[in-house]
Amino acid sequence: MTTVLDRLNFALHRSMESDERVYVLGEDILDPYGGAFKVTRGLSTKFPTRVLTTPISEAAIVGMASGMALRGLIPVAEIMFGDFVTLVADQLVNHASKFRWIYNNLVRVPLVVRTPMGGRRGYGPTHSQSLEKMFLGVPGLKVIAPNTLGDPADLLAAAISDEDPVLFIEHKLLYTRQLLEAGKADLRDYQVDQTFGDYPTFTMRPTKPAHLTLACYGYNFELARLAALDLIMEHEIFSEIILFSQLSPFNLDPLFQSLERTGKLVTVEEGTISLGWGAELAARSVEKMRGLMVRRVAALDLPVANAKSLEDKILPSVQDIVNAGLYIVE
Amino acid sequence: MTTVLDRLNFALHRSMESDERVYVLGEDILDPYGGAFKVTRGLSTKFPTRVLTTPISEAAIVGMASGMALRGLIPVAEIMFGDFVTLVADQLVNHASKFRWIYNNLVRVPLVVRTPMGGRRGYGPTHSQSLEKMFLGVPGLKVIAPNTLGDPADLLAAAISDEDPVLFIEHKLLYTRQLLEAGKADLRDYQVDQTFGDYPTFTMRPTKPAHLTLACYGYNFELARLAALDLIMEHEIFSEIILFSQLSPFNLDPLFQSLERTGKLVTVEEGTISLGWGAELAARSVEKMRGLMVRRVAALDLPVANAKSLEDKILPSVQDIVNAGLYIVE
Amino acid sequence: MRYNVLAMDDNFTLYKTMLVIRRFEERLLSEFSTGKIVGTTHAYIGQEADAAGIFSVVDTEDVVFSNHRCHGHFLAYGGEAYQLAAELMGKASGLVGGRGGSQHIHWRNFYSNGIQGGIVPIAAGMALAEKERNTGKIVLVFIGDGTLGEGSLYESMNIAALWKLPILFVLEDNHYAQTTPVEKAVAGSMSARFTAFGIPVWERETSDVLEVRSLAMEAAASARSGTGPACLILHTHRFSAHSKGDDPRSPEELARIHKIDPLTIHGLRLATEEFPRAASEVAEIVNNAFDRASLDPFPELCSEY
Amino acid sequence: MRYNVLAMDDNFTLYKTMLVIRRFEERLLSEFSTGKIVGTTHAYIGQEADAAGIFSVVDTEDVVFSNHRCHGHFLAYGGEAYQLAAELMGKASGLVGGRGGSQHIHWRNFYSNGIQGGIVPIAAGMALAEKERNTGKIVLVFIGDGTLGEGSLYESMNIAALWKLPILFVLEDNHYAQTTPVEKAVAGSMSARFTAFGIPVWERETSDVLEVRSLAMEAAASARSGTGPACLILHTHRFSAHSKGDDPRSPEELARIHKIDPLTIHGLRLATEEFPRAASEVAEIVNNAFDRASLDPFPELCSEY
Ligand SMILES: Cc1ncc(C[n+]2csc(CCOP(=O)(O)OP(=O)(O)O)c2C)c(N)n1
Ligand SMILES: Cc1ncc(C[n+]2csc(CCOP(=O)(O)OP(=O)(O)O)c2C)c(N)n1
Ligand SMILES: [Mg+2]
Ligand SMILES: [Mg+2]
């Protein structure tokens, strides 16, 4: 069986093999360690000159990636924990993502910044956050997140081939997850469609007409599926699931199509609720359609505590999604 | 007549006078220059030991402010241009705003970070942004913005007295604006109410029942008033205006009350539209009420160009607000 | 006045302080397998001479900002092992009620946070506050060799030097940042990075707590003298993995550095009968800490900020 | 091969390069009152020897990352005055179509951005790319004394030194950052901040373009030699305000520094008849640039990214 980690690692290997402009840089990424979450494992053995372990200098890592990208290389930078994206905010917002436009399209900046986000591993308040929302809507920056339905390898390869900067968000708990197989296991009861393009959006429609739409990305797709199952089994409520790979720029057509059918939206994410990803989904949906019902499921507006008894209550649960579904349908 | 600049400057003087724990730090804030936008003028002459001009080190400025706040001082830090908040993101998100909660309320962090945001002065892509949206919803951080209706001095004084960290957003074009006087000039045709508390929300109700609600903050209140006037004069459409001083945490009760009356929401802000302030307003409103009509007015999802011909089209205009109002009412 | 017996500065107490740290961290690492602790931790084992030496000379009222590897600092500062253990187990009785965990603790004038580098300007700001409030305190901030990579360190050195702040930068060079050896991460000279800003440096390759102590005494005195910041660079060795299982070092290298054990080095100064006494006193502290903490309740969420 | 006549390295051309910069900036400043230019700008007047000297020795294919005070660098690099003027006026014919303006320009291998410090790691990344692609190019990155305050500079120096990148740090110390004198912003020693990372420094207090030239030649050769980064520190003076009207310096100080005029200093090496020639050739370039640019249309918004 293949895990998300395997596929991400595979994509890095394949990209480095097929294009010698691809460089990987980040903290502690050399073998045998292969990075804090092992995504870069094997790369430095195979491509010793193109895998660069850096000092603890997140801003410089991303700044250097910008410079490399401007001058003919294709850098893939790893930020060890997503919590540290605050340190690269200036490089992403005021440099990498601006250059193409402010230089009147005379340049491209093909860089990827990969980073693990998310909690539930007891890492405490500075190593458990989901801060991607700070970068959603930044002009010129794409934000992409893999999941178990699409192939994370394709997604990462597309990000590496992308001529514009991409922030690639990997939830820590996804790494060990198995990829799903269409038509099998808990996908059996869904018809799965996906949009064309590099960063597909998936639409999962149950066998019966759905009562509501669950929108999610990344690891929360795992929770959303469980919640959908519970809603069917316990309450005979059917959900369509819209699973995004591309978080930003926002392209919500599949969501709108689903909402045409259900009129009810539940968004699911792990970041804190206020001005999270779901806010933009809610806003665009209500701008487009009248009479919608909307409910967002996300973390409480608190830091992620270290103690599991607190973390479990702060981060969204399957039950929270079920409750949102029930609330909105009833 | 009194300008917003006068009042902010006055508040700094008064706070420094009345509490010797108040320190002001930032780049180029000494007299005779008195800061890039003159908000700190006169302070260093009057309080030479408590006004600290710093090197160009935004992260350290805010980091130092945190340390000062943890150890008994009340720092007010100036970041010369709001575009540079990306450089202080780590200090705000992973340090200042977290300490109180992660230390189990054993500490308070009474700091203020003041910074000018906004365009329309031809300063180009790295000196014209409205990036406050990156910090809305950050747990533990308040985001406050003055306007011409409330007294900016009271607001800043409240921020300085606040025991928690406050990011205080000053739109550059507001500085030279005159404060409005209740019942006079273009306030004459409105009944103005405000919430209690340090960071009031204002509700402006026209003499006739309103067709829609305009939500705004800071400088955009200037545009919203003009748009409201145009909507009355040209189209006989009446608007309530809900003017926020506190952007985050989101406390939207006055907005909801207005929406109960109008059912139609137009949000106005100068940041780029996607996942801006208006998104959270739209999301919370639609979560609460069914059948709402919503339209957001904001900047295009592009950098702010230097050329005026481009900047004018990128940033939201009075006409854009009018159009949104017409769209939503018709 | 010390908060507890740990920080008295006779040889026995210095030894005992180091032993408390050693046994605390060992017990902590073992608790991961019992499931009583989740997440991760950064053990101080091997570096005990630094904390024990430094905190035997700084004033108990001085302010400390520590980093991810903070347990040793905290225990040597005089912090209670029980409250720390409770924090690590995520208990309501923990130092900060279970909210912070291993890297984010606070007690009296001791603070820590898990972001490399970001704590340094904060410590500088604290030093400014102590200076302005004429408290006579200095601020100690702890960084590792790897943290020399973070820009905010240099911003802080510059301001601290310009404003003559009473701050002592303590750089513990254990030759590795996680898995990265210092040669791959630090160009030029460590000490020159401080002297370039006009900050005087006290530097030694040592695991002898008495050497650390005398060096720390000088450096702290300088920081306290009103002439501005000082820097203490201690080249040392960490015996355990960086956190859990991330150790790229060869068995030979590990064997070599284990010979430079601060407990062995300082142990030569103790009388034979002091060892069992130290062992039993320390066992009691550590066992009591973990056993007691494990019985405590988990925190409830109070959802308002 | 140079892109244009400005960069030839005889005395006349060096003078002319400096004069183009001087007259361009003067004209630019005057255009604010005509309303043809809005926003702000940072004039290079007084520092012309730096740019003229440096770009008389670096290769035209070398890569440049410049900062907010970039016009002088750009013109000495061989950039066209007309396209720059058009950019400053927000015209479609500007270097980057009016999108960037004064601080955000790009042409061939020349780049600039308006965020202090942030450009330095980018320049280091460019140097890495040139090195890996074996182009033989070096990257020049321009910073001011004030920019020594930004942490990303030190992160970049460290990595550039570790990886032996072909980058030349050019530090133009004009003694002020906006209104802040260097004593209030820079602790310790400027050059030691570079040598601490093992980066060799060439440093001079001079406004003589020939001195700059010979120093730059050595520093650039070092950066190109494969041994890693080099640093050129030039102590100079800016004559105008930082941007517009923000100048805290006394009339005496201004009078004193105006005596150290690179045009006067280098002018001593010109024959009398060369002055009117330089003046008229330069007037033509500058007038043509602004006059032509002012007739060009403004850009239309293409709203897709
Ligand atoms: C900003 C930031 N980057 C990366 C990390 C992850 N991290 C935690 S400890 C560490 C190594 C630190 O090395 P050093 O400073 O030498 O201290 P040591 O662990 O050796 O005591 C790293 C990379 C972090 N916590 N914060
Ligand atoms: C990150 C950042 N902080 C502050 C500024 C505002 N600013 C622009 S130029 C300048 C002074 C720069 O001084 P210096 O580096 O000495 O260069 P000089 O202007 O003297 O050429 C400042 C503070 C900025 N552009 N970017
Ligand atoms: Mg280390
Ligand atoms: Mg300067």
Side-chain angles (χ1 to χ4, degrees):
Chain A
M1 297 275 278
T2 322
T3 63
V4 170
L5 179 61
D6 294 335
R7 298 305 294 162
L8 295 174
N9 181 258
F10 172 78
L12 289 173
H13 276 275
R14 194 179 51 185
S15 295
M16 291 199 79
E17 232 153 52
S18 62
D19 190 338
E20 61 178 25
R21 295 172 302 170
V22 177
Y23 280 64
V24 172
L25 70 165
E27 295 161 14
D28 296 292
I29 60 174
L30 298 189
D31 291 333
Y33 189 57
F37 292 91
K38 313 299 173 203
V39 183
T40 58
R41 196 180 260 171
L43 293 173
S44 67
T45 304
K46 221 150 78 209
F47 312 99
T49 61
R50 292 195 279 135
V51 179
L52 306 166
T53 198
T54 67
I56 309 177
S57 310
E58 288 79 10
I61 291 170
V62 175
M64 295 214 37
S66 272
M68 293 161 74
L70 282 166
R71 300 297 306 173
L73 301 183
I74 301 176
V76 182
E78 172 169 302
I79 297 297
M80 191 188 278
F81 281 83
D83 306 69
F84 314 150
V85 290
T86 48
L87 288 163
V88 311
D90 187 60
Q91 285 296 336
L92 284 179
V93 173
N94 283 329
H95 300 273
S97 65
K98 277 202 173 49
F99 287 136
R100 177 178 155 201
W101 198 87
I102 69 175
Y103 291 162
N104 209 14
N105 292 330
L106 293 172
V107 304
R108 303 302 293 256
V109 188
L111 68 83
V112 178
V113 175
R114 294 179 35 250
T115 195
M117 290 280 185
R120 308 184 197 273
R121 287 188 58 156
Y123 286 163
T126 61
H127 290 67
S128 305
Q129 297 167 91
S130 294
L131 294 181
E132 58 267 32
K133 63 182 192 161
M134 293 184 79
F135 297 91
L136 305 181
V138 171
L141 182 68
K142 290 193 184 111
V143 184
I144 306 296
N147 52 63
T148 52
L149 182 49
D151 184 348
D154 289 348
L155 217 57
L156 182 51
I160 295 172
S161 305
D162 201 310
E163 290 201 85
D164 292 319
V166 175
L167 178 59
F168 196 87
I169 304 296
E170 304 162 3
H171 193 290
K172 295 180 193 93
L173 292 198
L174 264 189
Y175 288 131
T176 53
R177 288 276 167 159
Q178 312 287 333
L179 295 200
L180 302 179
E181 288 179 67
K184 293 222 177 126
D186 58 351
L187 291 193
R188 209 175 35 218
D189 299 324
Y190 290 100
Q191 177 193 327
V192 181
D193 292 316
Q194 70 178 84
T195 57
F196 293 107
D198 285 339
Y199 310 115
T201 303
F202 298 90
T203 299
M204 289 176 54
R205 298 182 62 179
T207 44
K208 303 228 176 117
H211 304 87
L212 67 97
T213 301
L214 291 175
C216 59
Y217 66 87
Y219 174 71
N220 283 288
F221 175 49
E222 309 300 301
L223 305 190
R225 287 206 320 283
L226 291 175
L229 195 64
D230 185 278
L231 284 167
I232 295 178
M233 305 304 261
E234 304 292 326
H235 311 280
E236 288 187 53
I237 293 174
F238 287 83
S239 311
E240 295 193 9
I241 302 181
I242 311 295
L243 168 62
F244 289 86
S245 313
Q246 175 172 317
L247 313 189
S248 182
F250 291 84
N251 185 339
L252 306 185
D253 288 343
L255 178 68
F256 298 149
Q257 283 154 22
S258 176
L259 290 177
E260 296 284 359
R261 295 185 288 264
T262 67
K264 297 192 171 57
L265 170 63
V266 173
T267 65
V268 189
E269 68 197 300
E270 192 177 304
T272 53
I273 189 161
S274 290
L275 214 50
W277 175 74
E280 184 66 22
L281 269 62
R284 292 197 181 212
S285 301
V286 66
E287 282 182 315
K288 208 169 175 83
M289 288 172 217
R290 208 171 167 171
L292 274 186
M293 300 272 290
V294 178
R295 202 82 192 156
R296 292 174 294 162
V297 177
L300 301 181
D301 282 330
L302 290 176
V304 182
N306 192 74
K308 196 168 157 27
S309 64
L310 300 175
E311 189 183 29
D312 282 349
K313 292 210 176 99
I314 291 166
L315 301 183
S317 65
V318 172
Q319 192 56 49
D320 291 334
I321 307 172
V322 170
N323 291 346
L326 292 175
Y327 177 92
I328 213 171
V329 170
E330 266 138 43
Chain B
M1 296 275 276
T2 322
T3 63
V4 171
L5 179 62
D6 294 335
R7 297 306 294 162
L8 294 175
N9 182 257
F10 171 78
L12 289 174
H13 276 276
R14 194 180 49 183
S15 295
M16 291 198 78
E17 234 154 54
S18 62
D19 190 337
E20 60 178 24
R21 294 171 304 168
V22 176
Y23 279 64
V24 172
L25 71 167
E27 296 161 14
D28 297 292
I29 60 173
L30 298 188
D31 291 333
Y33 188 57
F37 293 90
K38 312 301 172 203
V39 183
T40 58
R41 197 180 259 168
L43 294 174
S44 67
T45 304
K46 223 155 64 202
F47 311 99
T49 61
R50 291 195 281 136
V51 179
L52 306 165
T53 198
T54 68
I56 309 177
S57 312
E58 287 79 8
I61 291 170
V62 176
M64 293 212 36
S66 272
M68 293 160 76
L70 282 167
R71 300 296 307 173
L73 302 183
I74 302 176
V76 182
E78 172 170 301
I79 298 297
M80 191 189 278
F81 281 84
D83 307 71
F84 313 150
V85 290
T86 48
L87 287 162
V88 312
D90 188 60
Q91 284 298 337
L92 285 180
V93 173
N94 283 329
H95 300 273
S97 65
K98 277 200 174 53
F99 287 137
R100 177 180 156 200
W101 199 87
I102 69 175
Y103 292 162
N104 209 16
N105 292 329
L106 293 172
V107 304
R108 303 302 290 255
V109 189
L111 68 83
V112 178
V113 175
R114 293 181 34 253
T115 194
M117 291 280 184
R120 308 184 198 273
R121 288 188 59 156
Y123 286 162
T126 60
H127 290 67
S128 305
Q129 298 167 89
S130 295
L131 295 181
E132 58 269 31
K133 62 183 192 160
M134 294 183 79
F135 297 91
L136 305 180
V138 171
L141 182 68
K142 291 192 183 111
V143 184
I144 305 296
N147 52 63
T148 53
L149 184 48
D151 183 347
D154 289 347
L155 217 55
L156 182 51
I160 295 172
S161 304
D162 201 310
E163 291 201 85
D164 292 320
V166 175
L167 178 60
F168 196 86
I169 303 297
E170 302 163 3
H171 193 290
K172 297 181 192 88
L173 292 198
L174 264 189
Y175 288 131
T176 54
R177 289 277 168 158
Q178 311 287 335
L179 295 200
L180 302 179
E181 290 179 67
K184 294 223 177 127
D186 58 351
L187 291 193
R188 209 177 32 221
D189 299 325
Y190 291 99
Q191 179 195 325
V192 181
D193 293 315
Q194 70 179 83
T195 56
F196 293 108
D198 286 338
Y199 310 114
T201 303
F202 298 90
T203 299
M204 288 175 56
R205 298 182 62 176
T207 44
K208 302 229 175 115
H211 303 88
L212 66 98
T213 301
L214 290 174
C216 60
Y217 66 87
Y219 174 71
N220 283 288
F221 175 51
E222 309 300 300
L223 306 190
R225 286 204 323 282
L226 291 176
L229 195 64
D230 186 277
L231 283 166
I232 295 177
M233 305 304 263
E234 303 294 325
H235 311 278
E236 290 188 51
I237 294 174
F238 287 83
S239 311
E240 295 192 9
I241 301 181
I242 311 296
L243 168 62
F244 289 87
S245 312
Q246 175 172 316
L247 312 189
S248 184
F250 291 85
N251 185 340
L252 306 184
D253 289 343
L255 178 68
F256 298 149
Q257 283 154 22
S258 176
L259 291 178
E260 297 282 0
R261 297 185 287 265
T262 67
K264 296 190 172 59
L265 170 63
V266 172
T267 66
V268 189
E269 69 197 299
E270 192 177 303
T272 54
I273 190 161
S274 290
L275 214 50
W277 174 75
E280 185 66 21
L281 270 62
R284 292 199 180 210
S285 301
V286 65
E287 281 182 316
K288 208 167 174 84
M289 287 173 217
R290 207 170 170 173
L292 275 186
M293 299 272 292
V294 179
R295 202 83 192 153
R296 291 174 295 162
V297 177
L300 301 182
D301 282 329
L302 290 176
V304 182
N306 193 73
K308 197 169 156 28
S309 64
L310 301 176
E311 189 183 29
D312 281 349
K313 292 211 175 97
I314 291 167
L315 299 184
S317 65
V318 172
Q319 192 57 49
D320 291 335
I321 307 171
V322 170
N323 292 345
L326 292 176
Y327 177 93
I328 214 171
V329 169
E330 263 138 43
Chain C
M1 248 279 296
R2 291 280 151 190
Y3 302 128
N4 71 18
V5 46
L6 290 180
M8 281 168 47
D9 50 8
D10 57 280
N11 279 335
F12 178 78
T13 309
L14 286 171
Y15 185 85
K16 190 175 145 187
T17 301
M18 294 195 288
L19 194 63
V20 165
I21 299 173
R22 175 75 52 97
R23 296 284 173 264
F24 185 95
E25 296 287 53
E26 286 169 351
R27 170 79 185 254
L28 171 59
L29 288 173
S30 78
E31 292 291 355
F32 278 92
S33 55
T34 69
K36 287 214 185 94
I37 309 250
V38 293
T40 193
T41 192
H42 306 88
Y44 199 65
I45 297 174
Q47 306 183 198
E48 294 92 343
D50 293 355
I54 291 166
F55 287 102
S56 75
V57 297
V58 302
D59 197 271
T60 51
E61 292 297 321
D62 286 331
V63 181
V64 182
F65 220 122
S66 175
N67 58 6
H68 59 291
R69 204 173 294 288
C70 58
H71 308 168
H73 306 149
F74 176 76
L75 293 169
Y77 169 78
E80 224 192 302
Y82 154 64
Q83 276 189 287
L84 178 57
E87 183 59 36
L88 299 168
M89 290 181 180
K91 297 303 181 83
S93 55
L95 287 164
V96 289
R99 291 181 175 185
S102 173
Q103 304 187 70
H104 319 88
I105 60 177
H106 167 58
W107 182 71
R108 302 208 182 191
N109 293 343
F110 189 101
Y111 308 77
S112 79
N113 200 9
I115 302 285
Q116 302 287 308
I119 64 170
V120 188
I122 300 176
M126 292 173 148
L128 174 66
E130 301 307 330
K131 182 181 179 181
E132 292 295 308
R133 291 165 56 234
N134 286 310
T135 62
K137 295 179 192 181
I138 64 172
V139 178
L140 284 79
V141 60
F142 284 89
I143 59 172
D145 48 288
T147 311
L148 291 168
E150 290 289 357
S152 57
L153 170 63
Y154 303 89
E155 300 189 2
S156 313
M157 288 200 275
N158 189 37
I159 298 179
L162 282 168
W163 298 355
K164 298 203 190 310
L165 301 182
I167 181 170
L168 177 62
F169 298 93
V170 182
L171 166 51
E172 293 184 271
D173 167 25
N174 58 12
H175 301 90
Y176 284 88
Q178 201 143 338
T179 66
T180 304
V182 82
E183 310 81 56
K184 281 204 160 59
V186 183
S189 144
M190 288 190 192
S191 65
R193 296 193 183 189
F194 292 85
T195 54
F197 292 87
I199 300 174
V201 173
W202 282 259
E203 180 171 15
R204 191 77 52 93
E205 162 100 44
T206 183
S207 291
D208 181 345
V209 66
L210 291 189
E211 284 198 61
V212 171
R213 180 177 148 80
S214 71
L215 218 59
M217 201 177 302
E218 291 175 30
S222 173
R224 209 183 300 278
S225 70
T227 57
C231 173
L232 178 62
I233 304 183
L234 298 169
H235 303 284
T236 180
H237 301 281
R238 96 170 125 71
F239 290 178
S240 344
H242 168 70
S243 48
K244 284 164 37 206
D246 40 1
D247 200 337
R249 296 172 295 183
S250 66
E252 296 72 41
E253 183 175 352
L254 286 174
R256 187 172 55 70
I257 64 169
H258 269 89
K259 292 205 190 100
I260 315 168
D261 187 329
L263 286 171
T264 316
I265 293 168
H266 189 61
L268 296 174
R269 303 188 180 105
L270 262 59
T272 320
E273 66 277 13
E274 289 181 301
F275 291 100
R277 200 182 115 208
S280 75
E281 287 181 21
V282 166
E284 170 153 355
I285 292 171
V286 172
N287 291 338
N288 170 61
F290 282 87
D291 296 348
R292 189 172 150 208
S294 70
L295 302 174
D296 289 342
F298 293 105
E300 301 284 335
L301 185 66
C302 157
S303 69
E304 99 217 12
Y305 199 87
Chain D
M1 250 274 299
R2 291 279 152 192
Y3 303 127
N4 72 16
V5 46
L6 290 180
M8 281 169 46
D9 51 7
D10 57 277
N11 278 335
F12 178 77
T13 309
L14 286 171
Y15 185 85
K16 192 175 142 186
T17 300
M18 294 195 289
L19 195 62
V20 165
I21 298 172
R22 175 75 51 99
R23 295 285 173 264
F24 185 95
E25 297 285 54
E26 286 169 352
R27 171 78 185 254
L28 172 59
L29 289 172
S30 78
E31 291 290 357
F32 279 92
S33 55
T34 68
K36 286 214 184 92
I37 309 249
V38 293
T40 193
T41 191
H42 306 88
Y44 199 65
I45 297 173
Q47 306 184 198
E48 295 92 342
D50 293 354
I54 290 166
F55 287 103
S56 76
V57 297
V58 302
D59 198 88
T60 51
E61 293 296 323
D62 285 332
V63 181
V64 181
F65 221 121
S66 175
N67 57 6
H68 59 291
R69 204 173 294 286
C70 60
H71 308 168
H73 305 149
F74 176 76
L75 294 168
Y77 170 78
E80 226 192 301
Y82 154 64
Q83 277 188 287
L84 178 58
E87 183 60 35
L88 299 169
M89 290 180 179
K91 297 304 181 82
S93 57
L95 286 164
V96 288
R99 291 180 174 184
S102 173
Q103 304 188 70
H104 319 88
I105 59 177
H106 167 59
W107 181 70
R108 302 209 183 192
N109 293 343
F110 189 101
Y111 308 77
S112 79
N113 201 10
I115 302 284
Q116 302 287 308
I119 65 171
V120 187
I122 300 176
M126 293 174 147
L128 174 66
E130 301 305 330
K131 181 180 179 182
E132 292 294 308
R133 291 165 56 235
N134 285 310
T135 62
K137 294 179 193 179
I138 64 172
V139 178
L140 284 79
V141 61
F142 284 89
I143 59 173
D145 47 288
T147 311
L148 291 169
E150 289 289 356
S152 58
L153 170 63
Y154 303 89
E155 300 190 1
S156 313
M157 289 200 276
N158 189 36
I159 298 179
L162 282 169
W163 298 355
K164 296 201 191 315
L165 301 182
I167 181 170
L168 178 61
F169 298 93
V170 182
L171 165 52
E172 293 184 272
D173 167 26
N174 58 13
H175 301 90
Y176 284 90
Q178 201 144 337
T179 67
T180 304
V182 82
E183 309 80 55
K184 282 204 159 59
V186 183
S189 146
M190 287 191 192
S191 64
R193 296 194 185 190
F194 292 85
T195 54
F197 293 87
I199 300 174
V201 173
W202 282 259
E203 180 171 17
R204 192 75 54 91
E205 161 100 44
T206 183
S207 291
D208 181 346
V209 66
L210 291 189
E211 285 199 59
V212 171
R213 181 178 147 79
S214 71
L215 220 57
M217 201 177 303
E218 291 175 29
S222 173
R224 209 182 300 279
S225 69
T227 56
C231 172
L232 178 61
I233 303 183
L234 299 169
H235 303 284
T236 180
H237 300 282
R238 98 171 123 71
F239 289 179
S240 342
H242 168 70
S243 49
K244 285 162 38 206
D246 39 3
D247 200 337
R249 295 171 296 182
S250 67
E252 297 71 41
E253 182 175 354
L254 286 173
R256 186 173 55 71
I257 65 168
H258 269 89
K259 292 205 190 102
I260 315 167
D261 188 329
L263 285 171
T264 317
I265 293 168
H266 189 61
L268 295 173
R269 302 188 182 105
L270 261 59
T272 320
E273 66 277 11
E274 289 182 300
F275 290 101
R277 200 182 115 206
S280 75
E281 288 181 20
V282 165
E284 172 155 349
I285 292 170
V286 171
N287 291 338
N288 171 59
F290 282 88
D291 297 348
R292 190 174 151 206
S294 69
L295 302 174
D296 289 343
F298 292 105
E300 301 284 336
L301 185 66
C302 157
S303 69
E304 99 215 14
Y305 200 86

